[in-house]
Amino acid sequence: MKAVIVGAGMGGMSAAIALEQLGFEVEVYEQVTENKPVGAAISVWSNGVKCLNHLGLEKETAEIGGILDSMSYVDGFTGDTMCRFSMQPLIDEVGQRPYPIARAELQQMLMDAYGFDDIHFGKEMVAVRSDENRATVEFADGTTDSGDIVIGADGARSLAREYVLGGPVARRYAGYVNFNGLVEVDEKIGPATEWTTYVGDSRRVSVMPVAGNRFYFFFDVPMPEGVPFERGTAREVLAAEFADWAPGVQTLIAELDPATTNRVEILDLDPFDIWVKGRVAVLGDAAHNTTPDIGQGGCSAMEDAVALQFAFRDHPDDPIAALDAYQAARTERAGDLVLRARKRSDVTHGKDPEKTAAWYDELRSEDGTNIIRGIVGNIVGGPLT
Ligand code: FAD
């Protein structure tokens, strides 16, 4: 059985490893010419870590993962702690520690596990099609490749999705912009093993540890879509946006590197339940583009990869049945995560200011129980539950 995978992001690479474990011949094609992930880091929640462990990467993942022992919310203006609690109850309940991980390191780990030199870089898919016996990809350089299946792991602006759905679909602007990057750990911002989130005025400023004594940081700022931004100016923009915020936030703004700080307009896509057309299937953001508000987009892509493996394990000689089983296993779960993230995003970013104010009040009397229950609700339900 041969699989052609388009897109060497965390979804495509996880799928490549998962299918190789089943003995597939796998070819991975990626449009960029070098491995340069967009964005600084992600939180790989316990469900994502379980998938990486399943792909044989338990030791490697633990090595590049940050240690997250506790979580806190802080009043963005006063710097007063609203609530602080241990992550241990979550780890005990789901049986796996989560790991925030720098994207470059996650990507490198996955690429090395598959075989970096076996990835075909600089190959842009321009068309895909399926017929009775094969699925075929055409590249911008005029070449083609075909296999028993094609997996479109080509991200949020997926061309494979257009093929599967029969046309383009419009993504939705979530109403806010996310600035993110990496800084050295500084306990003036937050404790070294804590996920600290400053909130106020429908905004959020967060730091969480990744390996190498670094914090992954992000700022969420509600604003209209399309506001111009010049790369390198993040410090000035954030200093103006957060001028009256607490000292920890000012320290972060002073210490971040504007040259490497990313700015992303956050969009998502209404869930859809057709992921397969003939021998072509979508996976990862191509299939479920979510806001990052519950940190599950990448984890969900990893779940897709494991579910795809299970589908072919159960239907080893029948790609059509296997892809059907993959679709049946994933659409509801992935769509649920998209909608959960959207709901969380609306509360965090002041879609209804009264609900946001009520959430701030809840945080002041929270002992961690409700927040952990919510996170566990996101984590469970995947192929490895
Ligand atoms: P991508 O990573 O987008 O990879 C797609 C690949 O396909 C790219 O390399 C692209 O170059 C390639 N490609 C595209 N088109 C073509 C083509 N025509 N031909 C060839 N190659 C092509 N998720 C989490 O789990 N936890 C988090 O904490 C988290 N935080 C996030 C924070 C932000 C600000 C954002 C924006 C997202 C966050 N996510 C998080 C989501 C996560 O980044 C995505 O879900 C994940 O990257 C999806 O992986 P993917 O492989 O499907 O797509």
Side-chain angles (χ1 to χ4, degrees):
M1 198 76 79
K2 176 179 170 187
V4 173
I5 297 180
V6 181
M10 60 189 85
M13 293 318 307
S14 299
I17 299 165
L19 292 178
E20 271 204 339
Q21 283 183 332
L22 284 184
F24 270 61
E25 178 192 347
V26 176
E27 299 292 346
V28 178
Y29 292 94
E30 167 57 53
Q31 67 184 0
V32 304
T33 49
E34 57 179 320
N35 171 27
K36 248 192 176 173
V38 180
I42 70 165
S43 51
V44 184
W45 285 101
S46 311
N47 53 322
V49 177
K50 285 184 186 178
C51 293
L52 295 172
N53 295 347
H54 177 81
L55 298 178
L57 296 166
E58 182 164 6
K59 183 171 135 292
E60 293 83 348
T61 303
E63 276 169 13
I64 60 175
I67 297 300
L68 201 65
D69 285 332
S70 55
M71 193 172 159
S72 69
Y73 280 91
V74 177
D75 184 310
F77 296 101
T78 64
D80 294 340
T81 299
M82 301 161 92
C83 59
R84 165 174 287 143
F85 47 90
S86 167
M87 296 297 276
Q88 198 56 47
L90 177 138
I91 298 167
D92 291 342
E93 188 163 348
V94 300
Q96 173 62 56
R97 174 180 275 289
Y99 288 121
I101 302 180
R103 276 179 194 263
E105 287 146 36
L106 176 62
Q107 196 63 22
Q108 193 67 47
M109 177 185 77
L110 291 167
M111 288 179 163
D112 287 344
Y114 169 72
F116 191 86
D117 294 336
D118 296 332
I119 300 167
H120 306 283
F121 286 100
K123 300 286 279 188
E124 184 197 354
M125 170 175 67
V126 291
V128 60
R129 63 176 181 277
S130 175
D131 61 35
E132 208 180 318
N133 300 311
R134 304 295 280 172
T136 303
V137 176
E138 290 176 24
F139 299 100
D141 61 9
T143 60
T144 63
D145 195 3
S146 60
D148 296 287
I149 56 167
V150 166
I151 301 300
D154 53 342
R157 287 185 285 269
S158 171
L159 184 68
R161 181 175 65 221
E162 267 191 53
Y163 172 75
V164 166
L165 292 180
V169 283
R171 295 194 297 148
R172 178 198 74 111
Y173 179 54
Y176 75 99
V177 165
N178 173 284
F179 294 82
N180 65 70
L182 296 169
V183 282
E184 205 175 300
V185 164
D186 182 340
E187 297 221 341
K188 291 205 284 296
I189 308 168
T193 59
E194 187 155 294
W195 175 14
T196 304
T197 303
Y198 295 78
V199 292
D201 200 18
S202 306
R203 291 151 187 241
R204 176 165 82 134
V205 181
S206 234
V207 288
M208 61 174 79
V210 298
N213 197 40
R214 293 166 299 171
F215 276 144
Y216 164 45
F217 70 82
F218 60 86
F219 296 74
D220 287 352
V221 191
M223 64 174 77
E225 195 173 7
V227 172
F229 173 77
E230 203 181 311
R231 195 167 171 88
T233 63
R235 182 172 297 135
E236 293 95 279
V237 172
L238 293 170
E241 292 284 354
F242 293 89
D244 46 357
W245 278 50
V249 175
Q250 303 309 325
T251 303
L252 174 58
I253 293 170
E255 292 184 357
L256 59 77
D257 177 1
T260 57
T261 299
N262 308 293
R263 179 191 187 274
V264 199
E265 292 192 330
I266 299 300
L267 293 99
D268 71 2
L269 186 57
D270 287 336
F272 53 96
D273 54 15
I274 296 176
W275 287 19
V276 175
K277 182 168 171 181
R279 292 167 176 268
V280 177
V282 285
L283 180 145
D285 278 10
H288 44 76
N289 186 197
T290 176
T291 68
D293 291 78
I294 58 171
Q296 280 289 349
C299 298
S300 197
M302 294 167 198
E303 287 189 357
D304 294 344
V306 172
L308 185 68
Q309 185 196 63
F310 288 174
F312 276 94
R313 179 199 61 193
D314 296 344
H315 303 276
D317 304 318
D318 188 344
I320 302 295
L323 291 182
D324 272 358
Y326 161 68
Q327 176 179 274
R330 291 301 300 156
T331 51
E332 190 178 338
R333 158 78 176 154
D336 179 48
L337 290 175
V338 171
L339 297 180
R340 277 171 168 260
R342 189 180 284 184
K343 202 167 161 193
R344 195 65 258 144
S345 170
D346 288 348
V347 173
T348 303
H349 303 109
K351 188 173 183 201
D352 175 347
E354 275 182 27
K355 284 195 180 149
T356 305
W359 177 52
Y360 295 161
D361 285 343
E362 281 166 28
L363 289 176
R364 288 193 176 84
S365 55
E366 174 68 49
D367 65 1
T369 313
N370 293 316
I371 292 174
I372 286 182
R373 190 185 306 123
I375 300 175
V376 169
N378 302 333
I379 288 173
V380 297
L384 302 168
T385 55

